[in-house]
Amino acid sequence: MPSIVVDDVGTELSYIDSGPPASLVPGQSYLTMISINGMSFTGHVFEPMMRVASKAGVRFVSINRRDYPGSTPLTAEDTRVLSSGSDDEKEDFLRTRGVEVANFIDRFIEQNQLPPPLGEEHDGGVAIIGWSLGCAFVFSALANVDVLPDEVKSRLTAYLRAFIMYEPPTVALGSPRPPQLWSPLIDTSLPEKARVAATTPFLTGYFDHGDLSTRDVEVLSYYVPSLSRVPTIYNLSDEERKRAVWEEPSDKSDMLFMFFSEPQIRAAYKKACFDPSVRAQFPRLKFTNIMGTRTSPHGIPAFWSMEGDNKQHGGEWVSFKVIPGGNHFVSACLSIREYTNCSAIDAVG
């Protein structure tokens, strides 16, 4: 996999790239989408989107976070910070991960001479897609724009046009978790190896929730996916699963980050979404949170929580989109056209 060095010490983030759309005539502009992977899955989870991107006039780039294949692993010191570091150390850890993402986007823009945004439609510029836990690192990238060199800030300001959040869970917002919330990954009554193995089918299942219009956590189905539709993971071929599934960090660095950095995650989320100075830095950047109605139970309380936060801040910072029948498996639920629609500059928070 290709990679980009994102700091002065040689840290690399790997990626896959659909390349410039072949359907365009020379010199024609195009939108670039850059995705950040969630827990247990690599950037290859977006391969279905990449296969159709070119025909839609889109370039699709999918990053692997640290501790995922091809990217620089986290260090033993990083693990110590995540497990027992001070608040300041954890804040610095998250800031550093965010700056890495920001630098990747900036250097990819420069190295590939991406076209800048042109007007109010879909042409040019960059849309960021955060999937699940990956949203936390995009929040950090935006929240820490003030530490970036002026040249990088200026380029990101000019290029970034959309941040599409596909089901950030409560742990990606640092928001309170319903007491009923469960996952095989945290169930110590299961054998350790079984916890990770059972998590992927659970996350990609379809759940029969009650009436979501009540916004009541009691109507959620927390434990057993529906029998009416097979979890998406079982629809992948063996080769696709080998590329897309990477469970190693799930009960290690990702778990430590999710459960021991909540205040830092919360601060980055609130600053990225609702701080006027940050949003002023990105005047054309449109935020959209997307949720499927049959998703695993982790994303729905977070969706409601962000709706509430948005309302408290005036109601104009984040747009919200519900996908009837959608589950947590990002590439199974939205077409490339729906993503480009979320990238149209028709609202500014």
Side-chain angles (χ1 to χ4, degrees):
M1 295 176 69
S3 62
I4 288 179
V5 175
V6 294
D7 59 21
D8 294 334
V9 296
T11 303
E12 299 181 27
L13 293 182
S14 66
Y15 65 96
I16 52 177
D17 176 16
S18 68
S23 59
L24 301 183
V25 298
Q28 187 175 354
S29 186
Y30 58 84
L31 173 70
T32 301
M33 294 183 176
I34 299 180
S35 66
I36 317 295
N37 65 307
M39 184 188 75
S40 298
F41 290 91
T42 73
H44 286 279
V45 75
F46 286 92
E47 283 181 353
M49 311 296 294
M50 302 184 80
R51 287 194 288 267
V52 299
S54 185
K55 289 184 179 179
V58 171
R59 184 174 191 164
F60 204 107
V61 179
S62 193
I63 303 174
N64 274 347
R65 296 189 286 111
R66 299 281 299 273
D67 264 5
Y68 283 81
S71 293
T72 302
L74 293 172
T75 66
E77 174 62 10
D78 291 326
T79 301
R80 182 199 68 78
V81 168
L82 289 174
S83 62
S84 60
S86 67
D87 287 345
D88 287 346
E89 287 176 319
K90 291 175 182 178
E91 181 179 355
D92 183 65
F93 172 89
L94 183 53
R95 180 189 303 110
T96 303
R97 303 291 82 76
V99 168
E100 290 167 356
V101 169
N103 281 337
F104 177 97
I105 296 170
D106 177 67
R107 294 176 187 187
F108 191 88
I109 290 170
E110 274 214 290
Q111 291 177 17
N112 294 276
Q113 298 183 326
L114 299 184
L118 299 174
E120 298 293 314
E121 295 301 324
H122 312 307
D123 289 341
V126 172
I128 310 172
I129 300 173
W131 180 38
S132 194
L133 184 63
C135 290
F137 301 92
V138 183
F139 293 141
S140 178
L142 298 175
N144 290 293
V145 63
D146 56 312
V147 306
L148 299 174
D150 288 342
E151 181 181 0
V152 176
K153 282 192 288 189
S154 296
R155 197 157 31 244
L156 294 180
T157 297
Y159 273 82
L160 295 185
R161 62 185 302 155
F163 175 25
I164 303 166
M165 300 166 269
Y166 194 91
E167 294 195 352
T170 54
V171 289
L173 307 185
S175 61
R177 298 185 297 274
Q180 306 95 320
L181 207 57
W182 177 84
S183 165
L185 189 62
I186 59 175
D187 190 337
T188 56
S189 69
L190 297 174
E192 187 172 351
K193 289 185 178 180
R195 295 174 209 163
V196 175
T199 296
T200 301
F202 178 82
L203 291 177
T204 65
Y206 290 82
F207 289 76
D208 294 326
H209 302 299
D211 183 0
L212 297 182
S213 69
T214 64
R215 301 171 63 86
D216 183 352
V217 295
E218 296 293 338
V219 307
L220 301 183
S221 175
Y222 286 97
Y223 307 107
V224 182
S226 174
L227 298 177
S228 65
R229 189 167 179 181
V230 66
T232 310
I233 191 66
Y234 296 123
N235 293 327
L236 302 185
S237 69
D238 288 344
E239 286 303 313
E240 287 172 328
R241 280 196 296 273
K242 287 178 183 178
R243 292 193 299 271
V245 178
W246 185 257
E247 297 170 333
E248 182 70 19
S250 299
D251 62 345
K252 297 179 178 64
S253 59
D254 277 352
M255 179 177 282
L256 292 172
F257 172 67
M258 290 188 296
F259 291 108
F260 295 127
S261 297
E262 287 184 356
Q264 293 76 27
I265 294 170
R266 183 72 175 170
Y269 150 63
K270 295 294 286 290
K271 185 175 180 181
C273 289
F274 306 116
D275 187 300
S277 65
V278 172
R279 297 303 295 266
Q281 181 71 45
F282 302 105
R284 57 162 53 93
L285 185 60
K286 178 181 177 181
F287 286 51
T288 304
N289 189 346
I290 300 173
M291 177 193 77
T293 60
R294 299 193 66 189
T295 188
S296 61
H298 302 80
I300 297 175
F303 188 89
W304 291 338
S305 177
M306 189 181 291
E307 283 185 318
D309 291 337
N310 187 56
K311 185 176 181 180
Q312 285 184 352
H313 288 83
E316 298 181 353
W317 299 93
V318 181
S319 298
F320 296 88
K321 183 179 179 67
V322 174
I323 307 299
N327 73 345
H328 191 59
F329 205 75
V330 59
S331 61
C333 297
L334 280 185
S335 69
I336 194 75
R337 183 53 57 193
E338 287 174 301
Y339 278 116
T340 59
N341 288 342
C342 291
S343 303
I345 307 173
D346 58 7
V348 176

